Amino acid sequence: VDDGLEVFDGELPPPAGWVVELGFGHGPLRDVREFVLSRTHAMGLNGAQVSDLMVAVTELASNSVRHGGGEGTLRLWEEGDALVCEVRDRGRITDPLVGRVRPTVDTRNGRGLWLVHQLCDLVQIRSGPEGTAVRVHVRTPRSL
């Protein structure tokens, strides 16, 4: 049976340089937002980029708490001309089109990942028995 899940197979390449990391769990995601905010300003992202990335990462972290075992790990690094944020958790995604199809008004789930796809320049997802990694890329002003 071809369920399309092979699009999530494999691992994403490891970061090439420095990485900063934050674990998070149940409770307010204020630490996640503050963590992202402190790094984005250092990278020179503009106000709209910062706002968009904050919404995207908050959605990913919220999904980890709700659907990924109640906790996750956020990692950030620079890659070429982009800031990369990755959220990992123990959940598993089984919809190969998750985040790619615009949710309807009566759709119960899927809005968060759809929004992430709208706000970031690139979204990469890997999911399997070990858990899920969602990596988002936002180009820095020097690359535009």
Side-chain angles (χ1 to χ4, degrees):
V1 174
D2 182 10
D3 55 13
L5 293 179
E6 66 277 352
V7 299
F8 295 143
D9 285 348
E11 287 289 321
L12 293 166
W18 60 266
V19 175
V20 291
E21 185 172 299
L22 174 73
F24 60 89
H26 291 288
L29 296 173
R30 180 178 45 247
D31 290 347
V32 168
R33 289 187 285 275
E34 289 174 0
F35 184 76
V36 172
L37 188 60
S38 68
R39 296 337 187 256
T40 56
H41 288 303
M43 298 276 307
L45 295 179
N46 67 41
Q49 289 176 305
V50 172
S51 295
D52 289 350
L53 186 60
M54 294 287 282
V55 170
V57 172
T58 300
E59 284 293 334
L60 293 174
S62 177
N63 281 348
S64 289
V65 170
R66 200 169 326 140
H67 307 290
E71 60 186 15
T73 303
L74 168 63
R75 301 189 317 161
L76 286 92
W77 66 91
E78 243 182 301
E79 191 170 287
D81 289 332
L83 175 63
V84 181
C85 299
E86 179 184 87
V87 175
R88 287 184 174 264
D89 60 45
R90 293 187 316 256
R92 183 148 192 209
I93 295 174
T94 58
D95 177 0
L97 295 178
V98 67
R100 300 303 219 152
V101 177
R102 185 180 188 147
T104 62
V105 175
D106 60 341
T107 302
R108 297 189 68 148
N109 291 316
R111 285 184 174 79
L113 275 173
W114 181 81
L115 185 61
V116 169
H117 277 274
Q118 305 313 302
L119 297 173
C120 299
D121 295 311
L122 173 65
V123 178
Q124 299 171 289
I125 301 173
R126 297 296 184 274
S127 191
E130 311 299 308
T132 295
V134 180
R135 190 177 284 182
V136 298
H137 300 246
V138 176
R139 287 180 287 168
T140 60
R142 62 181 170 268
S143 67
L144 299 176

